[in-house]
Amino acid sequence: MKSPLSFTCRPLGLVQSVRFSYITSRLYSNRSGGRPLPLAGVTVVSLEQAIAAPFCTRQLADLGARVIKVERPGVGDFARQYDARVSGLASHFVWTNRSKESLALDLKDEKDHAVLMKVLGKADVLVQNLAPGASARLGLSHESLKHKHPGLIVCDISGYGQNGPYMKKKAYDLMIQSEAGMLSVTGTGKEPAKVGISIADISAGMYAYSNILSALLQRGKDGLGCQIDISMLESMVEWMGFPMYYAFDGAPGPVPAGASHAAIYPYGPFDTGDGSVMLGIQNEREWQSFCAGVLSQPDLATDSRFSSNPLRVQNRDALKNAIQDVFSKLTSEETIARLEEASIANANVNDMQNVWEHAQLKARNRWTQVKTSAGVVPALLPPGTTQSAMGPIPKVGEHNEAILAELGLA
C-alpha cells in the first residue's frame, strides 16, 4: 500500500486520481470555501533560507501546494533570527513562511539525507537557494535526480546562475542591487541608496514562482520535469529595463532623484504647509490641468521652460520652486483635494502604521489572520485572490514526526 504522501497530481487538467495526506488536505482547503485551491495535490520540497526561495514557495503554498521546508535542526532557516519584531518572531520569517511544514534534517547525516531522498520520491518540485555548489554536493542537482525522478521539477535560485565566471560568487540582496545598476539610479546624487526592501530577492522569488507554474503546465503535457535556473542578477537586470534603454548606445543614464522620477517631472514628493504629498504627471493634458486647476496658473503650462516633459526635467528646480510656493500655503488635505479635482494622480506619504490602517485595504477585506507559535498575527491576502491557504507559520522541525510517519519511518 502506498504511503499517504503518495499521489498523482491533478491540477494540470489531467483526469487522474489524487490522494492527500491529512496535513495536505488541511492546508489546501483552508479559507477556500471548500473548493480545492489551484495547486492542491502538488508537493514542493524546499531547501531554503533568507528571502528568495521562501518567498517563492510561500506563493505556491498560498495556492494550495504542500510545501515541506527542510531546515537545520535546532536553528532552522537563519532568517528566523533576523529580528524579534513580531511578538518575538522575525518579521522576514513571518512574512515568507506561512502554510509550510518544517522538516528538520542534518543533510550531512546519512540517515537524514536518506529521509530527504525518500521525501523527494513523492515530490513534484524541489526548490533550493543554498550556497553555490552546496545542492550539487548533496546530490540534489537536476542532473543527479532526473533519471530516478523524471517528473521532478528542480528550481535552483542563486545570485548569478549555475554557470559563468560569477557562479560561485556569494550574493546578498544589496550586492545584486549594486551589480545590476540599481544603486546608480537611486539616492539623491550625493550618495547611492539601496531600495528599502529586498527587491533582488523578491524579483528572483517571483520569477522562480512563475517558472515553476509554467513547468507544472508543461509537465501536464509531456510528463517530464526540468531544471529551472533563476539568477538574482538576471531577475534584477530585467527590472532595470527602463534605465538601461534610457542609457542606450552610450547615452547618459538616469540621474538619481531621490523619490522623484529621473525622467518625468513633476513626479514625486512635494512639501505642503503641514507635511508632504506625492503626485505624478504623465502627459501634457495632465500638465495643463495641473497648472490651471491646482496651481491656478494656466499660463505656466505654456511657459517656454516647462512646455514639454524634457524641458520640465531640465528645469526641474525652477518648477519645483513654483509648485512649492503654492503648496506651502495649503495643508496636505487641501492639496490632495485640488489634485483630485483636477484628476492628477496623487498619494499620501505613508509610514508603516498608516499602511496597517489603510482604508482601501480594509474596505476590500484584504486582511486575514495566520497562526504562529507566538499567537495570531494579521496577514494580507495574496493580491488577486480571496482564496488562499493562509496556514500557520511552523516552528523548526514541527512536522518531523508526522512526515516520518507518512514515510513509514520511526
Side-chain angles (χ1 to χ4, degrees):
M1 181 175 180
K2 291 184 178 180
S3 159
L5 190 65
S6 303
F7 58 83
T8 51
C9 181
R10 188 186 170 184
L12 308 174
L14 303 178
V15 181
Q16 298 172 324
S17 63
V18 184
R19 302 184 65 199
F20 305 107
S21 70
Y22 166 75
I23 296 174
T24 303
S25 177
R26 172 172 57 82
L27 286 176
Y28 90 79
S29 63
N30 189 25
R31 288 179 174 81
S32 68
R35 182 185 182 190
L37 290 169
L39 294 185
V42 172
T43 294
V44 179
V45 176
S46 190
L47 282 71
E48 59 181 30
Q49 54 197 356
I51 302 302
F55 190 58
C56 163
T57 58
R58 198 214 73 189
Q59 315 300 317
L60 299 170
D62 284 341
L63 292 181
R66 181 184 191 182
V67 176
I68 299 174
K69 181 184 180 80
V70 179
E71 301 190 75
R72 298 177 181 86
V75 295
D77 181 343
F78 58 70
R80 288 180 180 271
Q81 284 79 48
Y82 276 173
D83 58 57
R85 302 301 291 267
V86 187
S87 302
L89 304 178
S91 53
H92 283 83
F93 193 85
V94 168
W95 168 45
T96 58
N97 287 283
R98 64 177 176 242
S99 301
K100 300 180 184 180
E101 299 169 48
S102 174
L103 176 63
L105 297 175
D106 178 0
L107 297 183
K108 294 181 181 179
D109 179 272
E110 185 176 336
K111 290 183 179 179
D112 280 11
H113 188 277
V115 170
L116 174 62
M117 299 308 288
K118 195 164 186 177
V119 173
L120 285 177
K122 314 297 182 181
D124 300 279
V125 181
L126 168 63
V127 180
Q128 70 85 20
N129 70 332
L130 302 179
S135 178
R137 289 193 296 272
L138 290 168
L140 300 175
S141 67
H142 179 255
E143 189 64 28
S144 300
L145 296 170
K146 67 180 182 180
H147 301 293
K148 189 174 182 180
H149 309 295
L152 183 65
I153 295 162
V154 179
C155 180
D156 300 311
I157 306 174
S158 62
Y160 298 98
Q162 299 301 306
N163 60 345
Y166 279 40
M167 64 175 290
K168 295 183 179 180
K169 192 176 178 69
K170 202 167 188 177
Y172 295 133
D173 185 87
L174 175 58
M175 310 304 126
I176 299 300
Q177 286 194 38
S178 184
E179 286 281 354
M182 175 65 75
L183 300 191
S184 75
V185 301
T186 56
T188 61
K190 296 180 180 178
E191 65 175 290
K194 76 178 185 70
V195 177
I197 58 174
S198 301
I199 191 169
D201 283 311
I202 293 168
S203 66
M206 291 306 291
Y207 280 115
Y209 167 55
S210 61
N211 273 269
I212 289 168
L213 295 181
S214 296
L216 286 168
L217 288 171
Q218 182 63 41
R219 194 186 67 174
K221 298 175 182 178
D222 60 22
L224 297 177
C226 64
Q227 183 195 17
I228 300 169
D229 180 4
I230 299 294
S231 155
M232 291 170 64
L233 177 66
E234 291 161 21
S235 301
M236 195 73 265
V237 170
E238 164 62 21
W239 285 15
M240 294 295 292
F242 144 66
M244 290 180 67
Y245 281 120
Y246 189 86
F248 183 68
D249 200 20
V255 176
S260 295
H261 199 291
I264 305 174
Y265 201 82
Y267 195 122
F270 293 87
D271 292 335
T272 67
D274 64 350
S276 62
V277 299
M278 192 76 67
L279 68 90
I281 291 174
Q282 291 271 20
N283 54 58
E284 297 310 305
R285 177 185 53 79
E286 290 182 347
W287 167 240
Q288 293 166 12
S289 179
F290 176 72
C291 291
V294 179
L295 301 182
S296 300
Q297 298 178 38
D299 292 343
L300 198 64
T302 55
D303 188 302
S304 61
R305 298 169 297 170
F306 313 131
S307 58
S308 69
N309 181 66
L311 288 170
R312 292 192 290 273
V313 172
Q314 181 180 330
N315 297 294
R316 68 168 66 211
D317 290 341
L319 181 51
K320 183 175 183 178
N321 290 336
I323 295 171
Q324 295 288 188
D325 186 55
V326 175
F327 283 12
S328 64
K329 300 178 178 65
L330 303 171
T331 65
S332 295
E333 185 176 354
E334 290 169 338
T335 303
I336 287 178
R338 287 196 185 189
L339 292 165
E340 285 289 314
E341 181 66 24
S343 295
I344 301 300
N346 65 85
N348 294 300
V349 182
N350 286 330
D351 61 16
M352 292 299 95
Q353 299 309 316
N354 296 137
V355 178
W356 277 116
E357 299 298 327
H358 204 291
Q360 182 69 1
L361 297 175
K362 289 183 176 181
R364 284 170 53 79
N365 298 316
R366 298 314 298 170
W367 292 109
T368 185
Q369 295 179 325
V370 297
K371 295 179 180 179
T372 78
S373 58
V376 173
V377 299
L380 187 73
L381 285 166
T385 181
T386 56
Q387 298 183 0
S388 181
M390 306 304 288
I393 297 162
K395 295 182 289 186
V396 178
E398 180 177 344
H399 300 90
N400 273 48
E401 184 176 345
I403 293 171
L404 292 176
E406 289 181 51
L407 295 171
L409 302 173

